[in-house]
Amino acid sequence: MSLRIPLPAGLSRSQSTQDLIKYSSADAIDGIARNPSHEDQKKVTASLPQNTVPKNPITMSTRFDTSYEPQLRQNLHISGLVPPVVESHDIQIKRCLRAIASKKTEIDKYIYLSHLRNSNFNLFYRLLIDNMREITPLVYTPVVGEACENWSHIFSEPEGMYLSWADRGHLSDIINNWPEKEVDITVVTDGSRILGLGDLGVGGIGISIGKLALYTACAGIHPTKTLPIVIDLGTDNERLLNDELYLGSKMKRLGEKEMMKFLDELMVALKTRWPSIIIQFEDFKNPFPSLAKYQNMYTCFNDDIQGTGAVILAGVINAVRETKIPPQDQRLVFLGAGSAGVGVARQIMEMFKKEGNLSEDEARKLFYLVDSKGLVTNDRGDKLAEHKIVFSRSDNNGQQYKTLDEVIDYVKPTILMGLSTIGGAFTEDIIKKMTNFSERPIIFPLSNPVSKSECTFVDAMKHTDEKVLFASGSPFPNYEGKNGKIYEAGQGNNMYVFPGIGMGAIVSQASLINQDMIYASAEYLASSLTPEEHADGLLYPRINRIREVSARVALGVVRAAERNHVARNPEINGMDDETLVEYIKQKMYDPSAVPTEATETEPDMWTWLTSKLSLPWSHSKL
Ligand SMILES: NC(=O)c1ccc[n+]([C@@H]2O[C@H](COP(=O)([O-])OP(=O)(O)OC[C@H]3O[C@@H](n4cnc5c(N)ncnc54)[C@H](O)[C@@H]3O)[C@@H](O)[C@H]2O)c1
Ligand SMILES: O=C(O)C[C@H](O)C(=O)O
Ligand SMILES: [Mg+2]
């Protein structure tokens, strides 16, 4: 069933990047929880351990859902507090979509959706899951970037934890203040490099919130078991320091030493309260030291180095196949040699070693990294950051290549990656040149948000005569080719893997997240495309299948955890793939699985806050 929502005057249909008017709620449902009648699935389900289907308790943030039957309303003591009609989520979603379409700006849509998540998360996640393609860009990249930039102006609810330098020495006590008893996963940022937008201080918490919303929507981690964190060690952003509304500490950002000291304490505090917690590091300006220090001590990973490495590896596996050029004959230029650039280069190098039967040295020589000073070489005259050294060239005969143009002429690459934060860096000239070196050039402008993308999908298609194999970090609209064919832009965004990595680690009760598990996430993602998606020339699965895909990614992660003896969940011992996937799906939160009776639940943050503050309504039956 599809529905056309009228747009308000002034908002053109094509202008809306998210095209909120076209959706198909029933078609978009992945079928995981809604299609339990399939005979094979029934058999598999019957063989699963009992009590694996999570109940969906009613919390303060889901109490006023108009889908509740009269008896449930009576049990909850909310009769009269909810409009009389009893209506399905599908009907409520129509109302939400109308409300979203009526908002004039994307940030207004973001604010509306945040409010919905905080007031009725079951409805929010039903809306998101059923309309992934349209809603994801509004709660995640790219609009979340604008939200982070303006966080101190649009702020109305904390939605996570803010931990400041002044709190050091007391982090355990402060972590104990989080009102939810169980937390499976946290996303921690220091706000120092939010997307390609730089230092946004405590505004970076928007990224933690956005990532965790996708953990719930894509991998079914229960929303109350997710914890967004920003650590506030100051900011070097003058605009924020001069803003009277800024919500963070008004001091210059502290250095690496203080950061590590703070993180040491935080890691212990998190692990003490929730011994099985998964910790995802996100958008740190220099994320290498923390990953190196904690990856063998805690169940943690860095999304920008490892998640991005895995998701782009998956796209490259599929794209390289299309080029028909074997790995040993590919040449790769990376614009950007930071955490994402080096993380991606490392993962692709692993694949080239395996698939091309190359030694480490042979594989490494296929990579040319370019940073703000030009081609990364041993004799460039500056002290290279440690993470770049492995890819630094020594075969440049003393010549330095300063611009991307010069590097392209020198290397003649078959693959061009953008992780530089420089919007428009892949000029018409550069894109056209790429067609001289390969019939199907691989061009991935991966910087976020859209304004930082190294080129657009339109430019890449036009200037390669529609031959490009393309993926971008942020979403781009479809392109209509010369013969009327519609091409879809691949979205090479770590959202295709981090939910599955987290879910795989939770399901296996992994003690660590190691390279084999990250690599497996890429392999399982690459092989998750349907024959139809392959035939349509896609490099990544369609986003409306993300729950199905995340379950497969999680399967790969669990299998790798088992191989590496870091899986600790005895329930999964001996399960075949089919049973294990079903087990994973059964663990997924389903926003429509509303219980028919009220259940006792832990208080949520609002209840907890009101009780702490002794507000008049704090002990009411609400
Ligand atoms: N698509 C994804 O899933 C994904 C994942 C992670 C990061 N990213 C994006 O990648 C970008 C970079 O992230 P990061 O964590 O690597 O940041 P970073 O700050 O660690 O690295 C940026 C790199 O770009 C280089 N650079 C800056 N200006 C340049 C110029 N004018 N010419 C050439 N190189 C230049 C820097 O020298 C540095 O090597 C961001 O926009 C981020 O949003 C995308
Ligand atoms: O947040 C995203 O959209 C991807 C990535 O983690 C980034 O830093 O850009
Ligand atoms: Mg990131």
Side-chain angles (χ1 to χ4, degrees):
M1 180 192 73
S2 72
L3 177 86
R4 288 182 74 78
I5 304 274
L7 286 177
L11 187 65
S12 83
R13 293 191 188 282
S14 57
Q15 152 202 358
S16 150
T17 48
Q18 283 56 254
D19 202 1
L20 277 168
I21 50 168
K22 254 214 260 145
Y23 79 107
S24 170
S25 60
D27 296 349
I29 297 167
D30 53 45
I32 283 173
R34 290 266 182 108
N35 246 340
S37 58
H38 193 280
E39 280 308 310
D40 291 343
Q41 193 177 323
K42 265 195 195 162
K43 266 190 252 153
V44 173
T45 309
S47 70
L48 291 172
Q50 293 306 299
N51 301 325
T52 54
V53 184
K55 274 255 175 290
N56 207 0
I58 293 173
T59 71
M60 190 56 70
S61 346
T62 56
R63 279 212 153 180
F64 302 105
D65 195 310
T66 43
S67 68
Y68 295 168
E69 300 288 342
Q71 185 58 53
L72 180 57
R73 295 179 188 204
Q74 265 185 35
N75 295 352
L76 290 170
H77 305 280
I78 59 168
S79 308
L81 301 178
V82 187
V85 70
V86 177
E87 53 184 8
S88 65
H89 272 162
D90 284 350
I91 291 286
Q92 295 184 64
I93 284 171
K94 286 186 185 181
R95 184 177 298 114
C96 297
L97 288 169
R98 276 176 195 268
I100 295 166
S102 74
K103 307 281 174 215
K104 292 239 162 18
T105 64
E106 291 184 329
I107 198 72
D108 284 341
K109 294 174 202 247
Y110 176 92
I111 292 168
Y112 168 82
L113 285 161
S114 298
H115 178 68
L116 182 63
R117 184 174 56 241
N118 291 315
S119 56
N120 185 352
F121 63 67
N122 285 332
L123 182 57
F124 170 82
Y125 283 109
R126 185 78 271 153
L127 171 71
L128 177 54
I129 292 167
D130 291 0
N131 301 274
M132 281 304 294
R133 190 172 146 79
E134 295 79 8
I135 305 293
T136 304
L138 296 173
V139 296
Y140 180 65
T141 304
V143 180
V144 70
E146 193 183 343
C148 290
E149 283 181 307
N150 296 296
W151 197 257
S152 296
H153 292 199
I154 65 172
F155 173 85
S156 64
E157 296 180 66
E159 297 185 82
M161 296 201 84
Y162 298 68
L163 306 172
S164 290
W165 180 242
D167 299 328
R168 71 193 184 285
H170 309 283
L171 289 181
S172 241
D173 289 344
I174 291 173
I175 288 294
N176 280 334
N177 286 341
W178 185 249
E180 297 295 342
K181 201 164 142 199
E182 285 176 41
V183 169
D184 285 343
I185 189 155
T186 178
V187 173
V188 181
T189 186
D190 71 344
S192 58
R193 190 285 283 151
I194 295 300
L195 306 177
L197 301 169
D199 183 345
L200 299 182
V202 294
I205 198 167
I207 280 293
S208 301
I209 294 166
K211 295 269 173 189
L212 286 164
L214 293 200
Y215 269 107
T216 298
C218 305
I221 295 170
H222 196 278
T224 59
K225 295 188 178 177
T226 67
L227 167 56
I229 292 183
V230 65
I231 57 179
D232 170 29
L233 303 182
T235 177
D236 290 337
N237 183 327
E238 288 300 323
R239 174 179 68 86
L240 299 179
L241 290 172
N242 293 322
D243 182 351
E244 63 171 353
L245 296 182
Y246 180 55
L247 291 159
S249 308
K250 290 210 174 173
M251 63 182 199
K252 284 278 183 195
R253 187 173 281 283
L254 297 167
E256 207 63 52
K257 226 172 87 203
E258 289 90 349
M259 157 76 75
M260 290 310 294
K261 203 170 151 196
F262 194 86
L263 279 179
D264 282 349
E265 188 185 337
L266 176 61
M267 299 300 276
V268 172
L270 288 169
K271 179 99 178 160
T272 306
R273 173 137 192 227
W274 300 289
S276 303
I277 193 168
I278 317 288
I279 300 160
Q280 174 179 320
F281 297 108
E282 189 67 47
D283 287 5
F284 282 66
K285 178 71 193 155
N286 180 10
F288 290 98
S290 49
L291 182 62
K293 180 160 188 188
Y294 304 126
Q295 65 185 344
N296 295 319
M297 294 165 70
Y298 297 93
T299 317
C300 67
F301 72 106
N302 182 286
D303 185 38
D304 297 294
I305 304 172
Q306 298 172 293
T308 314
V311 80
I312 303 311
L313 169 57
V316 167
I317 290 173
N318 289 329
V320 161
R321 206 169 287 145
E322 293 292 317
T323 64
K324 314 239 172 7
I325 300 174
Q328 60 272 23
D329 295 333
Q330 301 278 355
R331 290 174 306 283
L332 301 91
V333 166
F334 280 66
L335 187 70
S339 43
V342 169
V344 171
R346 280 182 189 168
Q347 296 296 339
I348 299 176
M349 188 171 78
E350 285 308 309
M351 187 270 276
F352 280 8
K353 275 162 54 184
K354 272 194 190 178
E355 304 288 313
N357 221 356
L358 303 176
S359 68
E360 171 105 9
D361 219 37
E362 288 166 333
R364 195 183 14 235
K365 284 202 172 120
L366 306 173
F367 293 79
Y368 296 79
L369 270 52
V370 181
D371 64 13
S372 54
K373 297 190 183 114
L375 183 66
V376 178
T377 62
N378 287 347
D379 57 359
R380 197 168 72 168
D382 59 335
K383 185 170 166 8
L384 293 178
E386 213 173 306
H387 62 272
K388 298 180 188 175
I389 292 173
V390 69
F391 291 107
S392 176
R393 307 291 308 193
S394 58
D395 55 356
N396 52 317
N397 295 322
Q399 178 136 9
Q400 306 305 329
Y401 301 87
K402 294 280 175 214
T403 65
L404 180 61
D405 262 297
E406 289 169 12
V407 177
I408 297 275
D409 291 341
Y410 169 55
V411 178
K412 303 187 175 32
T414 54
I415 300 178
L416 178 60
M417 295 281 166
L419 292 142
S420 66
T421 75
I422 307 298
F426 297 169
T427 59
E428 177 175 346
D429 199 35
I430 283 172
I431 298 170
K432 280 185 171 156
K433 270 185 194 167
M434 290 293 295
T435 61
N436 298 330
F437 317 131
S438 166
E439 255 178 55
R440 304 287 320 268
I442 299 175
I443 303 180
F444 283 13
L446 298 168
S447 290
N448 295 317
V450 179
S451 61
K452 306 292 176 186
S453 186
E454 285 80 3
C455 68
T456 64
F457 188 38
V458 172
D459 287 344
M461 289 299 282
K462 264 197 198 154
H463 304 322
T464 60
D465 202 18
E466 300 172 15
K467 292 287 194 301
V468 70
L469 291 159
F470 180 94
S472 51
S474 298
F476 278 110
N478 293 345
Y479 176 84
E480 189 175 340
K482 280 183 295 200
N483 57 5
K485 185 174 169 193
I486 301 296
Y487 294 88
E488 295 166 56
Q491 195 179 350
N493 188 295
N494 46 35
M495 64 178 284
Y496 272 109
V497 290
F498 66 74
I501 294 173
M503 190 59 171
I506 291 170
V507 165
S508 60
Q509 296 171 8
S511 54
L512 298 173
I513 298 176
N514 61 21
Q515 162 59 18
D516 200 25
M517 292 158 79
I518 300 291
Y519 194 89
S521 73
E523 285 185 319
Y524 276 68
L525 171 60
S527 63
S528 71
L529 276 76
T530 61
E532 191 211 349
E533 285 167 341
H534 276 300
D536 288 345
L538 302 190
L539 303 179
Y540 291 98
R542 289 205 169 87
I543 202 76
N544 62 351
R545 291 201 309 111
I546 189 86
R547 275 204 150 199
E548 189 73 45
V549 170
S550 297
R552 286 217 62 81
V553 171
L555 169 69
V557 172
V558 173
R559 288 297 183 222
E562 289 175 319
R563 272 197 306 278
N564 287 270
H565 310 292
V566 297
R568 294 177 296 187
N569 180 1
E571 274 189 9
I572 59 176
N573 285 345
M575 277 187 188
D576 61 21
D577 278 3
E578 199 190 354
T579 312
L580 184 50
V581 165
E582 210 45 52
Y583 177 80
I584 293 166
K585 288 179 180 175
Q586 295 256 339
K587 293 258 177 217
M588 288 180 164
Y589 154 76
D590 170 12
S592 297
V594 176
T596 47
E597 287 181 7
T599 44
E600 280 302 313
T601 61
E602 289 300 312
D604 70 359
M605 182 150 50
W606 193 68
T607 318
W608 170 87
L609 269 177
T610 51
S611 69
K612 284 247 163 185
L613 298 172
S614 296
L615 294 177
W617 57 83
S618 62
H619 299 295
S620 79
K621 287 209 167 101
L622 290 185

